[in-house]
């Protein structure tokens, strides 16, 4: 008898046979059919389905509205340090300026050191000038004694001459110190330090009265401004010392 050719069993039969010996059913070759998505419906309240529609159309919460209003609110205006005229506001400003800027600290330290160095040099030179006057006076006395012994004309050296010499030196120092102060004031203004670079319109001349009425602009007197500048320099020395 002719031999029957070997028949390859189809895949569906094999899977059906194996399914009887395994605890769980194996997947068949039939592609899985798409299942409709499961929608989690919220529990219905006592008001019925209309309450859900009202919640969906309800406005956002009060907190979120406030947050949105806060985020859209304009930022407060930046205050120009040159227009600050009172000490408490200046103290807050300079604490932020110097405390958060290492470069500003270095520059302020250098300025203060330069100022102290110049003032020491000027004072030392003045003391040397007074000593030279004393030495000259002593030498002139000895010279006059010699000139008197031979009938020569004596050289006069009055106290007025000494005073004039000192007065001339003091004028030179005053001019140099004023130039130094102006340079330091410009540098402190660029660093945002209050009381330096105050506009002329905010400075009241000595003996000048402020305007009257609620619309009058606040101004500061010259003497008061200089006192605040000295106080600020002292504070800067403490902050950067």
């Amino acid at each position: 008898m002719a031999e029957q050719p070997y028949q390859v069993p189809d895949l569906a039969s094999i899977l059906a046979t194996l399914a009887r010996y395994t605890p769980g059913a194996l997947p068949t070759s039939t592609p899985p059919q798409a299942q409709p998505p499961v929608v989690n419906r919220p529990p219905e309240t006592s008001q019925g389905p209309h309450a859900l529609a009202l919640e969906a159309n309800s406005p956002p919460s009060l907190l979120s509205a406030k947050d949105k209003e806060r985020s859209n609110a304009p930022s407060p205006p930046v205050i120009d340090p040159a227009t600050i005229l009172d000490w408490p506001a200046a103290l807050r400003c300079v604490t932020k300026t110097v405390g958060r800027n290492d470069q500003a600290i270095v520059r302020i330290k250098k300025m203060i050191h330069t100022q102290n160095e110049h003032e020491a040099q000027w004072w030392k030179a003045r003391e040397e000038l007074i000593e030279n006057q004393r030495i000259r006076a002593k030498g002139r006395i000895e010279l006059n004694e010699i000139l008197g012994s031979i009938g020569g004309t004596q050289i006069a050296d009055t106290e007025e001459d000494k005073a004039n010499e000192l007065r001339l030196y003091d004028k030179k120092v005053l001019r140099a110190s004023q130039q130094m102060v102006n340079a330091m004031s410009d540098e402190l203004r660029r660093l945002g330090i209050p009381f330096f670079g105050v506009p002329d319109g905010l400075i009241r001349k000595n003996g000048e009265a402020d305007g009257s009425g609620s619309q009058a602009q606040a101004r500061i007197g010259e003497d008061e401004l200089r006192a605040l500048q000295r106080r600020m320099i002292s504070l800067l020395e403490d902050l950067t010392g």
Side-chain angles (χ1 to χ4, degrees):
M1 182 172 70
E3 212 177 273
Q4 295 292 333
Y6 175 72
Q7 299 292 332
V8 178
D10 56 30
L11 181 59
S13 299
I14 295 174
L15 293 176
T17 303
L18 292 176
R20 292 196 294 266
Y21 300 101
T22 57
L26 296 177
T28 63
S29 61
T30 306
Q33 298 190 3
Q35 298 294 329
V38 178
V39 178
N40 295 327
R41 298 182 62 186
E44 294 188 4
T45 61
S46 58
Q47 288 95 351
H50 297 289
L52 297 177
L54 291 176
E55 291 180 3
N57 297 327
S58 61
S61 65
L62 183 61
L63 180 60
S64 61
K66 287 184 177 180
D67 291 341
K68 183 177 181 181
E69 181 180 355
R70 190 181 297 110
S71 62
N72 294 332
S75 57
V78 178
I79 299 177
D80 183 3
T83 62
I84 296 177
L85 303 179
D86 62 285
W87 181 254
L91 184 60
R92 291 191 298 269
C93 177
V94 77
T95 302
K96 294 180 181 179
T97 301
V98 177
R100 302 177 182 178
N101 191 336
D102 294 338
Q103 185 178 6
I105 294 177
V106 173
R107 292 165 70 176
I108 291 173
K109 277 185 176 181
K110 184 177 180 180
M111 279 190 297
I112 293 175
H113 175 74
T114 301
Q115 177 188 5
N116 294 336
E117 192 176 52
H118 285 340
E119 290 175 350
Q121 290 175 353
W122 293 333
W123 179 256
K124 181 180 180 181
R126 194 178 193 277
E127 292 294 312
E128 290 176 352
L129 175 59
I130 295 175
E131 179 64 18
N132 290 336
Q133 288 179 343
R134 188 188 66 79
I135 294 174
R136 286 202 310 266
K138 183 179 180 180
R140 191 170 286 113
I141 292 174
E142 295 175 354
L143 178 61
N144 285 336
E145 290 177 352
I146 296 175
L147 291 174
S149 63
I150 61 177
T153 304
Q154 296 184 352
I155 302 174
D157 184 20
T158 64
E159 293 297 326
E160 184 179 358
D161 292 336
K162 297 178 182 179
N164 288 335
E165 189 176 16
L166 280 176
R167 192 177 302 113
L168 180 61
Y169 175 81
D170 290 341
K171 285 183 178 180
K172 292 180 179 179
V173 171
L174 179 62
R175 184 165 53 251
S177 63
Q178 189 60 50
Q179 293 174 351
M180 181 183 67
V181 168
N182 292 339
M184 290 181 61
S185 297
D186 290 340
E187 181 66 12
L188 292 173
R189 176 184 58 80
R190 284 191 291 269
L191 292 175
I193 305 300
F195 307 132
F196 295 93
V198 177
D200 292 338
L202 298 180
I203 301 176
R204 184 180 65 254
K205 303 297 182 182
N206 290 332
E208 181 183 358
D210 265 339
S212 59
S214 59
Q215 300 299 324
Q217 187 180 26
R219 297 194 299 170
I220 187 172
E222 291 178 324
D223 293 340
E224 184 182 0
L225 178 59
R226 280 193 288 268
L228 288 173
Q229 288 175 341
R230 289 192 294 268
R231 188 177 179 183
M232 179 59 68
I233 291 295
S234 178
L235 175 63
L236 292 176
E237 289 178 345
D238 293 338
L239 291 176
T240 61

